[in-house]
Amino acid sequence: MALIAPSILAADFANLQRDSEMVNESQADWFHIDVMDGVFVPNISFGMPVMDAIKRHAKKTMDVHLMIVQPERYIEEFKAVGADILTVHYEASTHLHRTLQAIKAEGMQAGVALNPHTNVNVLEDTIEDIDLVCLMSVNPGFGGQKFIERTYEKVRALRKMIDERGASTKIEIDGGVTSANAAQLVEAGADVLVAGSFVFKSDDPKATIADLKKITE
Ligand code: DX5
Ligand code: ZN
């Protein structure tokens, strides 16, 4: 059964308490929090004060996805506002290994996100140090985009690398996840599915989360 992480990017920002409580009451496992700086990606979402506000209501693991340049500058700040898992982009990290160690030193789990164009083999020298690999199945920056089919191949290749190395790294899929691709993603080796629009734009988000959970049994 996959872990389900609703992406708050698709929530109603004027009703963050209500939407956070919905996630608390649902079968979701994590909160997925997308931080965008308008530089690494062509969009700005929100930063620490909003994350802090969500954290006051959220009662589950806070999975924070930083789509920002030089993410190493803000590790302590995200710990302070409640991040449990802190994911940085491979493409934004010149000294990735050092950044992973710094995240762990703050007591968080360390994640690495890969853009659709980045091959999973770039993680061969760090996979044992990574708690979570977030495979972007859309180009980061916006919710509601179409799932990139090539992702299945990447999941399989990464699963193989992780298993061969005996690592315990989790594979997360982020972007365009729906009930139409969830089962196939888990079959390919995914552990965590992020879902934004599919959950929050549905008529009954709680039931949609339950469906995703069931599909991936
Ligand atoms: C995209 C974000 C995703 C986004 C997913 O840059 O990283 O987490 O919220 O949204 P959907 O599920 O709508 O593609
Ligand atoms: Zn994300």
Side-chain angles (χ1 to χ4, degrees), residues 26-180:
S26 77
Q27 291 180 43
D29 299 276
W30 296 354
F31 281 77
H32 184 82
I33 308 287
D34 289 302
V35 177
M36 304 177 183
D37 66 355
V39 180
F40 182 69
V41 289
N43 195 12
I44 300 175
S45 56
F46 51 76
M48 294 80 167
V50 173
M51 158 102 198
D52 192 35
I54 297 166
K55 175 65 190 169
R56 270 184 265 137
H57 305 290
K59 304 256 183 298
K60 295 180 176 177
T61 297
M62 302 299 271
D63 170 35
V64 180
H65 176 194
L66 298 183
M67 283 160 274
I68 67 175
V69 297
Q70 297 182 297
E72 64 280 357
R73 291 179 299 167
Y74 296 109
I75 293 170
E76 285 169 37
E77 281 87 342
F78 279 102
K79 170 68 181 177
V81 293
D84 297 299
I85 305 166
L86 196 62
T87 296
V88 300
H89 264 266
Y90 171 81
E91 301 83 3
S93 307
T94 309
H95 297 286
L96 180 66
H97 186 272
R98 179 185 290 153
T99 300
L100 295 171
Q101 305 310 319
I103 292 170
K104 290 183 191 176
E106 287 295 323
M108 295 178 284
Q109 291 186 52
V112 178
L114 299 184
N115 278 338
H117 74 268
T118 304
N119 196 284
V120 297
N121 65 19
V122 300
L123 299 180
E124 270 185 1
D125 293 315
T126 41
I127 195 71
E128 279 100 344
D129 300 300
I130 304 174
D131 296 304
L132 177 82
V133 175
C134 174
L135 291 181
M136 292 306 305
S137 38
V138 298
N139 283 293
F142 304 92
Q145 303 180 80
K146 191 175 172 294
F147 179 82
I148 298 171
E149 298 286 325
R150 165 78 193 164
T151 308
Y152 297 117
E153 287 300 316
K154 294 180 75 170
V155 180
R156 278 192 278 272
L158 182 59
R159 179 85 268 158
K160 189 162 175 275
M161 185 197 301
I162 292 168
D163 292 350
E164 279 175 4
R165 302 282 279 276
S168 53
T169 317
K170 284 188 165 61
I171 302 176
E172 176 177 70
I173 310 301
D174 188 7
V177 171
T178 68
S179 55

